[in-house]
Every structure is written in structure tokens, then in C-alpha cells.
Amino acid sequence: MIGRLRGLVAEVGEEEALIDVAGVGYVVRCGSRTLGHLPALGEEVVLHVESMWSESHGMKLYGFLGRDERRCFVTMLTIQGVGPKAALAVLDVLAPPDLAAAVARDDKAALGRANGVGPKLALRLITELKDKPLSDSPVAAFHAQIHSPAAPPPPSAVGEAVAALLGLGVAEVNARRVVEQAALRLGEDAEIPALIKAGLQELGR
């Protein structure tokens, strides 16, 4: 089974990327967060891969930029009712440390922001993911969050900018991609209006 790919980014679509490894192109399904952070076409990337096989669809590869993302993906697939699409959707809205924090404070609303995750599935995810390692953050810090739940953090500038673009009719995958790219260029202290403006410029609006 394939566990990792190192190659050149050949193509990037809405749900998958084509990675050229020594002349062989691998189609790798990725979440929008991962697709938005891939290097430019022709540049090298390393993807942590989870290989899945079924008689009806054959081999499918799911790619992640970090080991902890792959671990979260695999862990969520062990939960009844959670398939690859839902697991990727959760990781699109919550990076592993954020997912661990949301589970620790029973924040069903945070998980419910993921496409296809309703209240019942969000509750099941929180229940099943308790006490399971979801992040590479220190274990002590994770358990401290469980025993002393903190108030949900305020919305991030990236989240607010994405929401603003959604309000303008931009598809979520595109809104998140251009805003996260803008945040990388402008820095973590970038303000919401600047992110929105940069996102719109990227979209050609």
C-alpha cells in the first residue's frame, strides 16, 4: 500500500491533485485545505497518503500535507457513518489541533461547519474521538483542555474573510483556497478587509 508520495505537482482540481512521481502520475484525493496549500505546478511536494481499496472503485489515494492530518482522517473513518468525504470535510474546517480542542470542549457547532456533518454526526464524532490522539501537540496540553474546557476561540480573520466571500456567492472551496493563500502572503496578522480584497483579486473580481 502507498503511504507517502514525493513528486511534482502536475495538476490541481477541485477535489484531487495529480502528482508526477518519476514519470508516473498519481491521482490523489485531497481536501480543499490541502489543495489550497500545495506548491505551484511543477514544484515538489511530499504527501502523506492513505490508500483505500474497494472492489467497486479499485484503489483510491487520499493525500495530506501532515502526518497528524492523515492520522485524524484514519481515526474518523473508524466511526460509523463517517466516510472519506465527511472526514475530509471536517479537516477542511478544523486542523488537527483545532479538532482536538473542539472535541475536548464538546463543541458540536464547530464540527457542524463541515459540509455533510449534521448535529447527530457531530455528536457521534465528539463522543467517539474522546481520548484519542488527534494532534501532535503535547499530550499534557490536550488533557488540560479536557479537564478545564476553555471558551470557544473568537472567529479567525481567515474564517471571517471566507464567510464574507461566501456571502458574495463564491463557492466555499474557492473562497477558502484564495483566502488561505492570501493569509500566507500577507502574514498571520493580516486583517479581514485585506484578506477579502486579496481573495477577490485572486478570483478576478
Side-chain angles (χ1 to χ4, degrees), residues 43-126:
E43 293 188 5
E44 186 178 75
V45 67
V46 175
L47 287 177
H48 299 271
V49 172
E50 179 63 21
S51 303
M52 299 182 65
W53 167 266
S54 69
E55 292 187 2
S56 57
H57 296 96
M59 176 75 76
K60 284 188 177 181
L61 305 179
Y62 295 87
F64 310 89
L65 292 174
R67 285 189 298 270
D68 54 348
E69 291 177 329
R70 178 188 174 194
R71 179 171 60 193
C72 284
F73 177 78
V74 172
T75 301
M76 284 190 281
L77 292 184
T78 64
I79 300 173
Q80 182 180 2
V82 179
K85 188 173 183 178
L88 288 177
V90 170
L91 290 172
D92 278 344
V93 299
L94 293 170
D98 300 322
L99 177 58
V103 169
R105 62 176 184 264
D106 295 325
D107 190 350
K108 296 185 291 293
L111 275 77
R113 299 196 337 256
N115 287 335
V117 177
K120 290 184 178 179
L121 185 54
L123 177 59
R124 186 181 305 151
L125 280 162
I126 286 177

Side-chain angles (χ1 to χ4, degrees), residues 162-178 199-200 203 205:
V162 169
L165 293 186
L166 291 177
L168 295 174
V170 179
E172 181 176 357
V173 62
N174 293 328
R176 190 168 297 281
R177 174 177 59 82
V178 297
L200 290 173
L203 292 167
R205 296 195 177 189

